[in-house]
């Protein structure tokens, strides 16, 4: 299992290399943004860990650049910036996970296992999820509504896929966090609400009816508007 670590703090590099190498991972290191970006272009990795504040080019820009070429490789942001706004920025750039410094090595290792396990899971060929005029193809990773393609971020796509797989079932914010991100963000943040709003704007704009509904005090449910479950 090959991991690229793009991090400019020697102490953090040493900690991560020591901890992950003990678990059998092969770690490559880039100490600045440009070197990290070049390494992602020249080599294939099973996971990329990016610090945000880097010399040369920051982790957000690196992540966006990677996602233009590779939508599948798992990417984890590693940073001291832990506000909801910063988390959303990192995830919007295409990251799959976001770990705030300082962190425990055990937590990092657990998240690495989760991300690499998720990347190995494949859907059955031709798997199509649908509600009303909204369609999601889990093979091509495309989404259409009213026969028009929708451009979703990786996080928005995972959220929509989870909602579609659980149509007509009320999902709590904690449940969404656990299944969409496979992690436990600080529950004081409103990451789920932010992403539901992002998703709503995109899918509602393309269709004639509302599909994601708020159940006050409980969470969210995906259903057709005429189905009165609230």
């Amino acid at each position: 299992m090959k991991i690229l670590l793009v991090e400019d703090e020697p102490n953090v590099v040493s900690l991560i290399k020591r901890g992950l190498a003990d678990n059998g991972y092969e770690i490559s290191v880039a100490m600045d943004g440009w070197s990290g970006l070049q390494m992602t272009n020249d080599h294939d990795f099973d996971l990329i860990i990016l610090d945000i504040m880097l010399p040369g080019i920051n982790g957000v820009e690196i992540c966006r650049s990677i996602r233009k070429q590779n939508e599948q490789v798992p990417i984890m942001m590693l940073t001291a910036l832990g506000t909801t706004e910063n988390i959303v920025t990192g995830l919007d750039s295409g990251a799959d996970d976001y770990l705030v410094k300082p962190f425990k090595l055990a937590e990092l290792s657990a998240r690495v296992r989760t991300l690499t396990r998720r990347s190995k899971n494949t859907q059955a060929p031709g798997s199509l999820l649908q509600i009303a005029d909204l369609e999601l193809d889990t093979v091509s990773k495309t989404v259409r509504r009213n026969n028009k393609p929708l451009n979703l971020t990786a996080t928005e796509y995972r959220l929509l896929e989870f909602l579609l797989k659980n149509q007509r079932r009320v999902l709590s914010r904690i449940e969404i966090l656990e299944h969409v991100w496979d992690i436990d963000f600080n529950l004081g943040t409103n990451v789920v609400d932010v992403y539901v709003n992002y998703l709503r704007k995109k899918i509602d704009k393309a269709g004639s009816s509302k599909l994601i509904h708020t159940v006050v005090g409980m969470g969210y449910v995906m259903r057709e508007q005429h189905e009165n479950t609230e």
Side-chain angles (χ1 to χ4, degrees):
M1 185 71 68
K2 296 181 179 180
I3 296 177
L4 173 63
L5 171 63
V6 188
E7 168 63 64
D8 65 328
E9 296 183 38
N11 292 338
V12 176
V13 170
S14 178
L15 173 67
I16 293 177
K17 283 192 67 176
R18 185 173 65 251
L20 295 184
D22 288 344
N23 292 324
Y25 297 107
E26 180 182 334
I27 313 298
S28 299
V29 178
M31 300 291 288
D32 65 81
W34 289 116
S35 297
L37 184 57
Q38 187 62 49
M39 290 178 71
T40 66
N41 291 330
D42 294 343
H43 306 281
D44 292 326
F45 295 97
D46 299 296
L47 172 69
I48 299 171
I49 301 176
L50 291 174
D51 187 21
I52 285 188
M53 304 302 293
L54 291 165
I57 179 174
N58 65 50
V60 170
E61 293 302 318
I62 295 173
C63 188
R64 287 173 178 158
S65 180
I66 293 171
R67 284 294 179 239
K68 291 178 181 179
Q69 307 297 327
N70 188 334
E71 295 183 357
Q72 304 302 320
V73 62
I75 298 176
M76 178 191 297
M77 289 292 192
L78 191 65
T79 180
L81 306 174
T83 66
T84 297
E85 180 180 357
N86 288 316
I87 291 173
V88 169
T89 298
L91 295 174
D92 269 354
S93 69
D96 299 282
D97 197 353
Y98 195 108
L99 186 58
V100 178
K101 301 176 183 178
F103 57 87
K104 293 183 179 179
L105 188 57
E107 181 180 9
L108 174 67
S109 298
R111 295 192 181 196
V112 166
R113 289 193 299 271
T114 295
L115 288 174
T116 54
R117 182 174 64 246
R118 178 198 293 165
S119 69
K120 293 178 181 178
N121 292 333
T122 57
Q123 298 289 337
S127 183
L128 188 69
L129 301 175
Q130 183 174 4
I131 184 173
D133 55 355
L134 176 68
E135 296 181 351
L136 182 149
D137 190 322
T138 60
V139 176
S140 63
K141 305 295 183 184
T142 57
V143 178
R144 303 177 70 87
R145 184 159 195 200
N146 195 23
N147 208 32
K148 298 176 182 178
L150 301 183
N151 184 22
L152 304 184
T153 67
T155 305
E156 290 166 351
Y157 174 89
R158 290 200 307 272
L159 174 58
L160 179 59
E161 183 179 18
F162 183 59
L163 291 171
L164 282 168
K165 286 181 176 178
N166 293 274
Q167 293 179 38
R168 304 175 185 84
R169 187 164 77 85
V170 178
L171 302 168
S172 70
R173 289 169 177 80
I174 293 176
E175 190 174 5
I176 293 172
L177 280 171
E178 290 176 347
H179 286 83
V180 175
W181 284 274
D182 283 326
I183 52 178
D184 182 16
F185 281 123
N186 180 343
L187 296 182
T189 69
N190 62 341
V191 170
V192 171
D193 304 298
V194 169
Y195 271 91
V196 167
N197 287 334
Y198 283 170
L199 194 55
R200 273 176 168 162
K201 290 178 181 178
K202 291 185 178 182
I203 68 173
D204 288 349
K205 183 178 180 181
S208 59
S209 61
K210 180 179 177 181
L211 295 176
I212 303 175
H213 304 265
T214 302
V215 182
V216 179
M218 298 180 66
Y220 297 99
V221 60
M222 173 158 273
R223 59 172 177 78
E224 294 189 57
Q225 198 157 21
H226 64 267
E227 298 174 7
N228 186 14
T229 61
E230 296 184 24

